[in-house]
Amino acid sequence: MRATERIIVTGSVQGVGFRPFVWRKAHLLALAGEVRNRGDHVEVLATGTEAQRNSLIEALRQGPPHARVETVTRTPDMRIFTGAFTIATSEAGALHSGIVPDLALCRACRTDINTPGSRRWHYALTCCTDCGPRFSIVTDFPYDRANTTMAPFTLCAACRAEYENPADRRFHAEPVACPACGPRLYYTGPAQPEEDPLDSATRLLKQGGILAIKGTGGYHLACLATDTAAIATLRARKHRPTKPLAVMVADADAASAFAAPSAAELLLLQDASAPIVTVRATSVLPESLAPGLDRIGLMLAYTPLHTLLLAQVGQPLVMTSGNRSGAPQAIDDETALHDLAGIADGWLYHDRRIARRLDDSVRAVVAGQAMTLRHGRGLAPRRLPLPAGFASLPPVLAMGGDLKAAFCLMQDGQALLSHHLGDLHAEGVENTARQALADYRSLFGLTPAFIAVDAHPDYVSHRLGATLSQQRALPLHPIWHHHAHIAACMAEHGLGPDTPPVIGLALDGTGLGPDGTAWGCEALVCDYRTAHHAGRLAHVPLPGGDRAAREPWRMLLAHLDTALGPDATTRAVAQGLLPALHNRPLDALRAMIRTGLNAPPCSSAGRLFDAMAALLDVAPERLSHEGEAAMRLETLARQNTHMRPDSLLPDMRFALARTPDGLWELNPAPLWKAALSAKAQGIAASTVAAGFHAALAEGLADLVVKLLPEPADTQEPPSALPGFTQAALRTVVLGGGVMANDVLVSALVTRLEAMSLRVLRPAFAPPGDGGLALGQAVITAARARMETI
Ligand SMILES: [Zn+2]
Ligand SMILES: [Zn+2]
């Protein structure tokens, strides 16, 4: 019997060709009815037999390629539709929509731009329902052309015919365009008269020039990745001496020709998010792209413009963000022309406006699993469905951290982590963050009941959140930095608000701990609501405070003096074993350490890596970007050829002991002694670096063992954990920026899994401060519920 059903589909279902998909299925099944976007979901009204409707439901659960269907609900409807199934006009509804991230150029469109005679041959802004800009062009919801930056371009007759033909690949593709009606390409810079912009840009690049090029989420600066002189010029003009530069290649084959991606990395490279993926470098590309590192950031050409340019140039291109050092990436043409003068020699751009700045996403395969290191273009604004139990909790706005700023909106059991906003201390970024916040609030319509911030009162993000909380009279929840790191990872792995406690290992640079010291290598026994500090790296001073984070030799002195005493350190300097400490103001630093003036105690893992990199002479005198020394140390460790560095260096280990206040403390004193003596014996630095990573993994695993429940009636109770059921502690959750270190994480996961422990690692949200906001949000929501019970 024919009947009508109203079907609601939620998830990422707008901007992915969902309505045409429904239309085609309905026609195949001979159903009558209609489909429309309604604010945050797609509504289908279908009249037909039960069998026909069931087949449609089955198809809806799958959806088209880039959709992510979360729920499909069906209810009977009294209307009876006759005639052909149609696509109805969209309606603005409740905000908070399923708008999808920007999508890389699809295969069919790639064919279009490469086929002479095609209407879109060489057309740099080609797209369809399976590819093209989305979040970067949206100005309002629902997702319709009028609510994108394509609104000023009126479809020509041919494009309109495609747009209205349900059988066409561009049916209801909102950014659809062609050379006759769409945005055009422009070029500013040295050129021949009447020359095609793409040809001028190609010539500029081939001559070693620097090109500013408009991408999906902002401007890039490009030059030949094979030309060391061009790379040197770009670095000098951008004041970016050593920070790795990303390289764009034409396709997966080119990626394998110019570097050595693994099979898993090749898959990531070809993802529709087209991220920068860090892969093993070979000697094919110049070392100056990533000095001192054995990894290079690669991405595939992801827009038709990039694809055409790379085909004409015939070589990989450096593709680094188009900004003056420290400032946000330029997105509008005037700013790019103005701000990048003096850096770029030419500009290649088009008149499709970028609605919001989206940095390239960065992903990596860490110990066999994909991890997001920067959440940007192609990934944002994905929503993370939270585990059952969060849906009924009050909405929260979490402000994240400062260095890799990103905020998080949590509502209706979903977390929306913003795209990467940059360093809030850099010029213009605080303003960018304010705008982004307003942007997300208007697009996604969150009305928070709570504001969550990092507990550090000096964080810019803390101040922004505190101001908002005052303006809106909302409770402010300060969240401890390392608890937030662990909670973020718990949430993305489906642990519900009532989850029993887990063991969290949070390793990063520094974050403020509840005891007022700078934390950075901590073991927590925690659920969402409470965190019990159970272990840490032994304290060392940070001589010079913030300067100690930028100058690794300071940390080398602090660590050696703490571990071996000043006399032994001085002797080693005199013996020429410590070039990093030559001609340094050691006495001044020691005075600081002695008096405790500007030398606060820290338990930072990041600073431990810095110090070890300085010992092994791979740390620069002064870091030019965060993590530089640690990344070089990891590279050094991978160069080790000794099969078992830990058997060669048996004393290279941490001591583990309990402090008077019950903390398990990893003391690196034996490690420093062994490393220094290995250096004196002439053991390869790479072997010592590998031994260090192994020792840290071993130390952390030993610490975890101390926190595990022990068989009843043996020895002392494992540790004082008020209110926790120890039997549940079989899950170890990793967090913090150090967890992007493949050598460490591989060794650590192997050890933990050998003990039959379940190990959870960040994948959706970055392990570092870019993922903090997610953790802050879920902690606050879980606590808010406890208060209301
Ligand atoms: Zn396409
Ligand atoms: Zn057209």
Side-chain angles (χ1 to χ4, degrees):
M1 205 190 85
R2 285 169 64 81
T4 303
E5 276 187 68
R6 180 167 172 265
I7 305 155
I8 301 294
V9 188
T10 67
S12 290
V13 291
Q14 294 189 7
V16 287
F18 207 93
R19 290 170 297 163
F21 170 82
V22 176
W23 183 93
R24 279 192 287 269
K25 293 292 171 197
H27 273 255
L28 278 174
L29 294 164
L31 283 155
E34 59 187 38
V35 57
R36 59 156 56 85
N37 281 342
R38 266 202 200 273
D40 69 334
H41 58 265
V42 166
E43 180 195 68
V44 183
L45 289 156
T47 304
T49 65
E50 192 179 351
Q52 286 171 322
R53 284 179 274 124
N54 286 345
S55 303
L56 180 68
I57 296 287
E58 223 164 89
L60 292 182
R61 288 193 209 282
Q62 288 299 316
H66 298 298
R68 218 189 54 212
V69 175
E70 279 160 20
T71 62
V72 178
T73 50
R74 45 203 296 195
T75 46
D77 194 277
M78 297 307 285
R79 287 166 283 182
I80 292 288
F81 290 84
T82 52
F85 192 91
T86 57
I87 293 184
T89 328
S90 297
E91 276 181 23
L95 289 177
H96 129 140
S97 165
I99 185 72
V100 295
D102 301 291
L103 297 164
L105 181 69
C106 76
R107 206 177 281 271
C109 286
R110 187 180 298 265
T111 305
D112 284 349
I113 61 170
N114 287 326
T115 307
S118 147
R119 281 208 310 126
R120 294 187 176 83
W121 180 66
H122 272 206
Y123 182 52
L125 292 115
T126 301
C127 64
C128 74
T129 45
D130 293 333
C131 75
R134 296 291 187 272
F135 191 44
S136 63
I137 59 165
V138 167
T139 53
D140 203 352
F141 284 114
Y143 178 68
D144 274 329
R145 190 174 175 103
N147 290 332
T148 70
T149 60
M150 286 299 287
F153 301 95
T154 309
L155 289 171
C156 68
C159 284
R160 176 155 296 282
E162 292 170 335
Y163 184 85
E164 289 174 352
N165 175 8
D168 195 279
R169 198 173 90 245
R170 296 193 168 88
F171 180 55
H172 278 265
E174 305 305 344
V176 72
C178 78
C181 66
R184 286 171 192 220
L185 216 50
Y186 298 87
Y187 173 82
T188 301
Q192 317 273 356
E194 306 295 314
E195 194 178 28
D196 180 81
L198 211 53
D199 294 336
S200 310
T202 302
R203 194 153 30 74
L204 180 80
L205 287 168
K206 282 187 167 173
Q207 288 169 353
I210 291 165
L211 179 74
I213 174 173
K214 192 173 185 176
T216 300
Y219 270 80
H220 284 112
L221 287 161
C223 71
L224 290 182
T226 45
D227 182 340
T228 46
I231 295 166
T233 306
L234 176 59
R235 284 198 178 282
R237 290 188 192 166
K238 235 194 131 182
H239 304 294
R240 194 172 169 172
T242 54
K243 194 170 178 184
L245 299 171
V247 171
M248 181 181 272
V249 291
D251 51 29
D253 287 343
S256 298
F258 288 95
S262 68
E265 288 161 352
L266 272 177
L267 276 178
L268 262 192
L269 278 165
Q270 296 172 86
D271 188 81
S273 62
I276 295 172
V277 179
T278 55
V279 308
R280 194 158 66 79
T282 59
S283 53
V284 181
L285 290 173
E287 208 252 343
S288 61
L289 290 167
L293 303 181
D294 62 349
R295 297 283 166 121
I296 188 166
L298 281 195
M299 65 178 141
L300 306 191
Y302 59 85
T303 68
L305 177 57
H306 292 130
T307 305
L308 293 168
L309 186 65
L310 276 154
Q312 290 204 170
V313 174
Q315 292 189 55
L317 294 175
V318 167
M319 205 56 77
T320 185
S321 61
N323 54 351
R324 281 172 295 126
S325 196
Q329 194 179 15
I331 59 168
D332 67 275
D333 308 331
E334 262 171 60
T335 308
L337 283 165
H338 176 268
D339 283 11
L340 302 180
I343 303 179
D345 300 304
W347 284 258
L348 181 64
Y349 53 106
H350 52 72
D351 49 0
R352 186 182 72 207
R353 198 165 62 77
I354 298 173
R356 65 188 54 73
R357 171 180 303 111
L358 293 161
D359 289 286
D360 294 314
S361 290
V362 181
R363 302 173 86 182
V365 177
V366 175
Q369 287 184 14
M371 186 182 268
T372 301
L373 301 180
R374 186 163 73 197
H375 184 248
R377 189 249 330 135
L379 295 178
R382 290 177 313 167
R383 287 176 297 166
L384 176 72
L386 294 172
F390 276 102
S392 57
L393 301 186
V396 178
L397 167 62
M399 303 300 292
D402 275 16
L403 286 181
K404 294 181 164 74
F407 50 82
C408 180
L409 311 175
M410 201 219 88
Q411 182 169 272
D412 299 334
Q414 294 193 324
L416 179 71
L417 181 65
S418 83
H419 56 275
H420 168 84
L421 299 169
D423 176 357
L424 285 180
H425 301 272
E427 177 195 340
V429 177
E430 185 176 336
N431 209 28
T432 301
R434 284 180 207 277
Q435 285 166 7
L437 202 54
D439 178 31
Y440 271 70
R441 286 167 58 97
S442 78
L443 286 182
F444 301 100
L446 177 110
T447 314
F450 297 93
I451 309 262
V453 292
D454 191 278
H456 202 310
D458 297 337
Y459 269 25
V460 175
S461 54
H462 181 112
R463 281 197 284 103
L464 286 172
T467 307
L468 270 176
S469 106
Q470 275 173 4
Q471 285 167 350
R472 295 164 192 274
L474 296 172
L476 185 73
H477 279 240
I479 307 296
W480 297 108
H481 192 94
H482 297 86
H483 189 200
H485 275 318
I486 300 304
C489 186
M490 290 164 65
E492 66 166 288
H493 286 282
L495 304 191
D498 292 315
T499 190
V502 299
I503 297 173
L505 293 176
L507 275 70
D508 64 358
T510 46
L512 182 64
D515 58 4
T517 66
W519 286 19
C521 181
E522 316 301 321
L524 304 176
V525 173
C526 62
D527 55 18
Y528 287 109
R529 296 178 190 109
T530 29
H532 170 80
H533 195 202
R536 69 160 179 235
L537 183 69
H539 277 154
V540 294
L542 274 169
D546 287 347
R547 289 188 69 177
R550 293 193 296 269
E551 299 175 352
W553 60 269
R554 290 172 180 261
M555 290 317 298
L556 178 60
L557 182 76
H559 266 289
L560 287 179
D561 272 11
T562 307
L564 315 172
D567 292 345
T569 311
T570 305
R571 267 200 309 280
V573 174
Q575 287 163 2
L577 283 174
L578 301 170
L581 295 184
H582 263 289
N583 300 320
R584 302 281 181 216
L586 302 187
D587 291 339
L589 249 67
R590 282 173 170 154
M592 271 184 200
I593 293 170
R594 235 183 358 260
T595 57
L597 217 64
N598 201 17
C602 81
S603 47
S604 164
R607 300 297 82 79
L608 177 70
F609 276 81
D610 287 354
M612 187 54 72
L615 177 84
L616 299 178
D617 305 307
V618 290
E621 177 179 350
R622 192 182 160 81
L623 303 187
S624 75
H625 59 94
E626 201 200 356
E628 186 176 13
M631 280 157 64
R632 289 186 180 204
L633 186 65
E634 185 189 357
T635 291
L636 189 63
R638 266 194 294 265
Q639 288 161 356
N640 166 54
T641 50
H642 197 277
M643 287 292 284
R644 291 279 316 276
D646 44 344
S647 66
L648 181 69
L649 304 163
D651 299 328
M652 188 117 181
R653 59 182 177 78
F654 290 80
L656 183 59
R658 220 138 163 216
T659 65
D661 36 353
L663 272 176
W664 285 103
E665 198 170 70
L666 285 171
N667 187 331
L671 176 119
W672 285 113
K673 205 171 162 202
L676 196 59
S677 115
K679 204 176 176 193
Q681 292 165 49
I683 292 175
S686 58
T687 303
V688 181
F692 164 72
H693 282 79
L696 183 54
E698 188 74 36
L700 291 167
D702 289 348
L703 204 168
V704 166
V705 170
K706 298 291 187 192
L707 305 178
L708 292 176
E710 293 186 25
D713 304 320
T714 59
Q715 309 161 10
E716 51 177 332
S719 69
L721 305 171
F724 286 137
T725 322
Q726 296 255 318
L729 290 179
R730 299 301 300 176
T731 301
V732 180
V733 180
L734 310 185
V738 174
M739 293 307 177
N741 182 314
D742 178 66
V743 177
L744 175 71
V745 174
S746 299
L748 180 59
V749 169
T750 303
R751 282 167 171 81
L752 296 174
E753 287 182 346
M755 294 188 274
S756 304
L757 296 171
R758 178 184 180 212
V759 184
L760 305 180
R761 299 187 257 157
F764 170 91
D769 287 5
L772 272 183
L774 172 60
Q776 294 167 353
V778 288
I779 291 171
T780 302
R783 284 182 181 164
R785 182 169 67 159
M786 195 163 66
E787 283 164 17
T788 58
I789 286 172

